[in-house]
Amino acid sequence: MLPTVQLSVVVTILNELENIQPLIDRIHAALPGIDYEIVYVDDGSTDGSVALLKSIRDPRLVVVELRKNYGQSLALMAGIDVARGAYIATLDGDLQNDPSDIPAMLRLVEDGEWDLVVGERVNRQDGRVTRKLPSQVANWIIRHLSGVHLRDYGCALKVFRADIAKDLGIYGELHRFISVLASLEGARITQVPVKHHARQFGQSKYGLGRTFKVVSDLLLMVFLKRYLQKPMHLFAQAGLALFALGALINVYLLVLKIMGQDIWGKPLLILGAMLVLAGIQLVTVGIMVEVLMRTYYESQNKRPYKIREIKRLEDDEAVAQPLAPEPLRRTAD
């Protein structure tokens, strides 16, 4: 689908009734001179948010109502799929992100140097124990395991090129890892300081429990980033290491048996057998995942690489080549 507007602002909400109209007003005030639409995705609200959105007579407003609560990741995916802009901005619907930061972020993407610009909440207005501390722990873990070095991964305020945003595949709870997913697509990413406000209305949907979800999702991210296109390297290396260790133990026990010692029932014998079996199983799993990975790409005619640009020397030469002068015409005397 070809873009029909310059920018789509995607907002996902769950029970944010009192924040809807103030945020829409702030978006309008922040984007003068920009051709934009506002895509509101309601993720199963029960407080009348949908009724309010449908009652707003705003030609720039697009309301997406999900059938039930699917979670922020899938709500965000729905909004991105519906968006018609050449560029896509995302922000939370709780008034903590400031739309006035969007124009400067949009310019960075439009200039062509960056594919994704991420906000950094430098003066975060949240509780120290319930929000800041878990976020700092999660940021440290993501930074060191993912290889994508940002200071703040949890800021919802982001601006993408639309082609990058629509290829992300934000399943499950992976909205926390949008920057990592974009990195998998080969996106050039930068982070800029943005304003952050304290929540005025409604209740936060985040808490300490999300730190454990971050760790479990991060394991998936590490696999996708490092081993998606070469899963055999992960499983085979671990499998061969276990198999080799088990084989050494069994050879050692075989020598003891030849020397006349009784090895039956020894814990070391059980350990050696288990390591050998585990090694064989991991190598087998690696082969199966390798086949699945190839099926994933080949069945959809996908390629495991992304081309940013193709430039040929003859293209420049064709442009630079001066037109041949027309032959002089002889005129009759």
Side-chain angles (χ1 to χ4, degrees):
M1 180 176 62
L2 294 176
T4 59
V5 294
Q6 180 182 3
L7 176 68
S8 294
V9 181
V10 177
V11 184
T12 60
I13 61 167
L14 174 62
N15 296 330
E16 298 286 0
L17 178 65
E18 296 172 291
N19 295 315
I20 291 174
Q21 190 62 61
L23 181 55
I24 292 176
D25 293 340
R26 292 185 187 183
I27 293 173
H28 287 323
L31 303 178
I34 297 176
D35 183 19
Y36 65 94
E37 66 177 359
I38 306 172
V39 181
Y40 253 86
V41 183
D42 182 81
D43 188 26
S45 294
T46 57
D47 65 345
S49 293
V50 176
L52 175 59
L53 284 168
K54 290 181 177 179
S55 70
I56 298 174
R57 313 308 298 174
D58 187 337
R60 295 186 183 274
L61 180 63
V62 179
V63 180
V64 180
E65 180 185 0
L66 301 185
R67 292 188 176 184
K68 65 174 186 176
N69 175 247
Y70 288 95
Q72 186 174 354
S73 292
L74 295 185
L76 190 59
M77 181 188 290
I80 290 173
D81 287 342
V82 171
R84 298 173 299 165
Y87 303 95
I88 295 176
T90 63
L91 69 163
D92 279 338
D94 54 11
L95 295 179
Q96 293 195 268
N97 298 134
D98 198 320
S100 65
D101 290 309
I102 293 177
M105 299 170 72
L106 177 61
R107 284 193 294 271
L108 289 174
V109 180
E110 285 183 320
D111 288 344
E113 184 177 357
W114 306 106
D115 302 310
L116 167 60
V117 178
V118 183
E120 178 192 1
R121 299 163 291 183
V122 291
N123 187 23
R124 187 172 176 181
Q125 303 297 312
D126 280 321
R128 173 65 183 173
V129 176
T130 58
R131 297 291 300 277
K132 288 185 180 180
L133 183 59
S135 181
Q136 290 171 353
V137 172
N139 286 337
W140 186 89
I141 295 173
I142 296 171
R143 187 181 305 115
H144 285 81
L145 292 183
S146 71
V148 179
H149 296 281
L150 299 176
R151 295 172 295 276
D152 183 2
Y153 298 86
C155 182
L157 182 54
K158 300 176 176 69
V159 178
F160 313 74
R161 279 179 34 213
D163 58 329
I164 293 291
K166 291 180 180 292
D167 283 343
L168 288 181
I170 314 171
Y171 301 96
E173 295 283 338
L174 297 185
H175 61 275
R176 305 180 185 92
F177 299 97
I178 283 179
S179 301
V180 181
L181 291 171
S183 176
L184 290 174
E185 296 295 324
R188 295 166 296 187
I189 305 171
T190 189
Q191 190 164 57
V192 298
V194 297
K195 295 180 284 293
H196 191 253
H197 305 291
R199 175 182 273 272
Q200 298 178 4
F201 310 107
Q203 295 182 347
S204 173
K205 283 75 178 177
Y206 304 101
L208 290 169
R210 70 174 180 156
T211 303
F212 300 101
K213 294 181 180 179
V214 168
V215 174
S216 60
D217 288 337
L218 184 58
L219 295 177
L220 174 61
M221 286 294 96
V222 171
F223 174 79
L224 292 178
K225 185 168 178 61
R226 298 183 182 179
Y227 300 107
L228 176 62
Q229 297 171 12
K230 46 184 179 181
M232 194 63 180
H233 289 194
L234 171 64
F235 293 101
Q237 288 178 4
L240 291 174
L242 293 180
F243 182 87
L245 182 58
L248 287 175
I249 292 175
N250 290 334
V251 169
Y252 168 72
L253 293 174
L254 177 62
V255 172
L256 293 182
K257 181 66 175 179
I258 293 175
M259 295 174 62
Q261 297 188 27
D262 182 17
I263 62 172
W264 182 251
K266 288 183 176 293
L268 196 59
L269 176 62
I270 300 174
L271 176 62
M274 291 179 61
L275 289 175
V276 169
L277 292 175
I280 294 173
Q281 286 183 330
L282 280 176
V283 172
T284 303
V285 169
I287 294 173
M288 294 174 62
V289 176
E290 186 81 21
V291 171
L292 288 174
M293 184 272 296
R294 294 173 183 270
T295 302
Y296 167 76
Y297 282 108
E298 294 173 6
S299 65
Q300 303 177 70
N301 292 322
K302 289 188 175 184
R303 290 291 179 267
Y305 55 82
K306 301 288 183 180
I307 296 176
R308 187 181 306 281
E309 182 183 5
I310 298 177
K311 183 176 176 62
R312 294 184 175 92
L313 182 60
E314 55 263 32
D315 295 337
D316 291 338
E317 291 178 344
V319 174
Q321 181 70 32
L323 295 176
E326 294 184 2
L328 295 177
R329 297 177 180 176
R330 296 178 63 88
T331 58
D333 293 337

